[in-house]
Amino acid sequence: MKRIRLTAASRAGGAVLALMTAGCTVGPDYRRPDTPAPPPWSEARYNGIDTRPADLARWWEEFNDPALTRLVNRAAGANLDLRLAESRIREARALRRVAESGAWPTVDVSGSYRRSRTSENAIAPSSEGSGDSPFFRGSNNGQDLFRSGFDSSWEIDVFGGVRRSVESADATVEATIEDHRDVLVTLLGDIARNYIDMRGFQRRLAVAGNNLKAQQDSLEIIRVRFQAGMASDLQVAQAEAQVNTTAAEIPALEALVKQAAHRLDVLLGFQPGALWTELSADAPIPALPPQAHVGLPSELLRRRPDIRRAERLLAAANAEIGVATADLYPKFSLSGAFGVTSISASDWFSAPSRFWSIGPTIRWPIFDAGRIRANIEVRTARQEQALTQYEKTVLTAFEDVENALVSYVKEQTRYRSLTDAVVANRRALALADDLYKNGLIDFLNVLDSQRALNAAENDLAQSEATMSTNLVALYKALGGGWEN
């Protein structure tokens, strides 16, 4: 008899395995979008732009600034945003294992002990008058029941719902990795930008200090001339106003220097002020390299992490359609149990106490008020949204590069004009000073020349820093730096 049961169970298991082997994966198969790349960058026709294939893995080294390189090299292991992104990767990988576990059987072990007593008032009297109930045999003082065993179930992934879940989880893991890379690209850009800003503020602070010294010297000359009767009290007041106006610029610039340094501290995971000793010494603004390497637009699609992330999210959304579609089809499962049960502990493990069962189960939803098909529509709409978001991300990336290119190129033109303006203003101030000393012009002309030179030198220092930060913005738009 036992042999017949085992043969039937084997046939049932074989039938389920045959269904599994013949199974298919429902839902649309994913195809990567065919995204055409534009021709070479429209703003790359100027000198200083190299459109040949570029390696931007360590773009910050093109500034040839050792302090900047040290900051960047320390960032990857300390930044808190990167730690959050790494934690999200671990979360996604764990969720992937959760999805994968659906393809495997589950086995549970259980054990129980129960003592029960039947109510005497619920026992019907025997028709023979023996006092025994036809519904109860044995003593009414109580009864023990010992039970232990294994329960197992396995839902066969015939139509690929679990496989689509794993496919979606795989794509999600890859998307979180790209998100980590995107955070790294942003971090590297923020470090370089804040470092250059700090050096730019230091340069402007030095310019303001030099102008203040020159204006204080002029004020002393005016006071001497006033005491000699060669200048008026008005001229002294005008010179004092100019000195105080320039002096008022210095505290604001000092605050900007400290704020940029504090931002670098936080980006590197330190308390504000931790790097001040290292960064406080004046240093030049990182200079531009001879050529800015931008590569081709087609490289951007493969390099920029936000595009890669959007494509992976699209793949995950596509797989979710298959997960929802699999609910339309029957579910095949194989379940079984094996254990021992007895009313006495002494014969608990004996052969007569053993029990087992095994058999296949089929479950097919017949009516659910349209819930499954509505869920498929939801997943399809989300896939369409992911596709639109991917297309938008690609266009935005191209826009970022073109905008960064035009800003970088035009700021260099502005810098050259400001350089000429500084030279002209210095010459004008020297001429005005000579003419004033010879009594040919009023002192107001000297003050106007000093104000013009002060503004031009400040703008020149700011433009020099802006050129470098614009190059940082260009490399950030190109998505370089995460490869290492």
Side-chain angles (χ1 to χ4, degrees):
M1 188 65 177
K2 184 183 295 185
R3 181 177 301 172
I4 295 175
R5 289 176 180 173
L6 289 176
T7 303
S10 300
R11 290 175 179 173
V16 174
L17 291 175
L19 282 173
M20 181 183 67
T21 305
C24 61
T25 303
V26 297
D29 292 329
Y30 178 70
R31 292 180 176 83
R32 188 184 299 268
D34 184 14
T35 306
W41 307 109
S42 62
E43 298 296 334
R45 60 185 181 276
Y46 300 97
N47 293 332
I49 304 297
D50 190 346
T51 58
R52 291 174 297 179
D55 181 10
L56 303 181
R58 301 184 65 85
W59 56 261
W60 54 89
E61 294 182 350
E62 294 194 10
F63 289 102
N64 197 26
D65 190 307
L68 174 59
T69 301
R70 286 196 301 271
L71 292 175
V72 169
N73 291 339
R74 293 156 65 180
N79 182 259
L80 298 181
D81 289 331
L82 279 179
R83 292 185 189 177
L84 287 173
E86 290 165 1
S87 179
R88 294 189 187 102
I89 292 176
R90 292 193 294 272
E91 176 189 4
R93 285 173 174 164
L95 289 173
R96 194 266 182 199
R97 292 196 297 272
V98 171
E100 186 181 29
S101 66
W104 296 92
T106 60
V107 180
D108 301 320
V109 61
S110 63
S112 67
Y113 163 74
R114 185 177 76 240
R115 181 169 178 80
S116 61
R117 181 183 184 277
T118 305
S119 170
E120 294 181 5
N121 294 331
I123 302 174
S126 172
S127 60
E128 289 84 4
S130 62
D132 291 336
S133 169
F135 307 103
F136 179 80
R137 295 292 183 268
S139 172
N140 195 38
N141 293 330
Q143 189 177 43
D144 296 321
L145 180 64
F146 301 87
R147 182 183 178 91
S148 180
F150 297 90
D151 296 304
S152 177
S153 64
W154 186 15
E155 183 175 311
I156 312 301
D157 189 29
V158 177
F159 295 100
V162 175
R163 293 194 293 275
R164 289 299 191 192
S165 295
V166 174
E167 180 183 336
S168 175
D170 283 335
T172 302
V173 170
E174 292 166 352
T176 56
I177 293 174
E178 298 302 336
D179 184 64
H180 177 273
R181 291 168 174 170
D182 194 34
V183 171
L184 181 58
V185 169
T186 301
L187 170 63
L188 298 177
D190 286 348
I191 289 175
R193 179 177 57 82
N194 281 277
Y195 176 79
I196 293 170
D197 284 345
M198 190 191 70
R199 296 308 185 198
F201 294 142
Q202 288 177 332
R203 171 68 63 82
R204 292 171 61 189
L205 189 60
V207 168
N210 292 335
N211 286 330
L212 178 61
K213 179 65 170 59
Q215 291 165 10
Q216 288 172 339
D217 293 341
S218 297
L219 175 59
E220 290 301 319
I221 295 174
I222 293 298
R223 284 173 175 168
V224 171
R225 292 173 64 87
F226 172 72
Q227 292 173 358
M230 299 174 63
S232 65
D233 190 27
L234 174 61
Q235 293 174 344
V236 175
Q238 290 173 331
E240 289 177 345
Q242 179 74 349
V243 167
N244 290 323
T245 298
T246 303
E249 298 174 359
I250 292 178
L253 291 171
E254 290 174 339
L256 292 173
V257 171
K258 280 291 189 71
Q259 289 168 1
H262 292 164
R263 184 59 188 154
L264 286 171
D265 291 326
V266 174
L267 288 173
L268 270 68
F270 295 118
Q271 290 288 338
L275 297 174
W276 180 245
T277 302
E278 178 182 343
L279 299 176
S280 59
D282 288 350
I285 298 171
L288 299 181
Q291 296 282 331
H293 302 283
V294 298
L296 299 172
S298 58
E299 296 180 60
L300 188 72
L301 300 175
R302 299 188 298 269
R303 183 194 303 119
R304 200 162 138 144
D306 58 341
I307 295 178
R308 296 159 61 99
R309 178 184 61 215
E311 187 273 328
R312 289 290 82 201
L313 291 176
L314 173 60
N318 188 82
E320 288 296 326
I321 299 176
V323 175
T325 305
D327 291 337
L328 287 173
Y329 298 89
K331 307 290 185 183
F332 298 93
S333 60
L334 183 65
S335 59
F338 173 81
V340 291
T341 182
S342 176
I343 62 174
S344 175
S346 61
D347 60 0
W348 192 20
F349 291 105
S350 63
S353 298
R354 298 172 187 169
F355 70 90
W356 63 270
S357 66
I358 187 171
T361 302
I362 181 172
R363 180 173 57 86
W364 197 347
I366 301 300
F367 176 76
D368 62 358
R371 179 186 60 83
I372 294 177
R373 295 192 179 277
N375 189 37
I376 295 174
E377 292 180 8
V378 169
R379 303 303 174 122
T380 303
R382 289 179 180 176
Q383 188 266 354
E384 294 171 355
Q385 295 167 26
L387 177 58
T388 303
Q389 183 62 44
Y390 170 77
E391 294 171 347
K392 178 183 177 182
T393 302
V394 171
L395 288 178
T396 302
F398 290 142
E399 179 191 13
D400 289 345
V401 175
E402 293 287 6
N403 288 344
L405 272 171
V406 71
S407 297
Y408 175 68
V409 170
K410 296 304 180 183
E411 188 61 38
Q412 293 183 67
T413 303
R414 179 173 179 266
Y415 178 80
R416 289 191 289 269
S417 297
L418 286 171
T419 301
D420 295 340
V422 168
V423 173
N425 277 294
R426 286 174 180 169
R427 180 168 173 269
L429 177 59
L431 292 173
D433 190 57
D434 289 340
L435 292 173
Y436 170 70
K437 290 177 180 178
N438 292 324
L440 299 177
I441 60 173
D442 189 79
F443 184 66
L444 183 60
N445 297 103
V446 178
L447 292 179
D448 289 339
S449 297
Q450 287 179 339
R451 293 192 194 99
L453 177 60
N454 187 12
E457 288 182 334
N458 181 73
D459 290 344
L460 181 64
Q462 188 173 6
S463 179
E464 184 179 357
T466 301
M467 284 192 303
S468 295
T469 55
N470 284 348
L471 181 57
V472 170
L474 175 58
Y475 284 140
K476 180 181 175 183
L478 291 169
W482 60 264
E483 295 87 345
N484 292 326

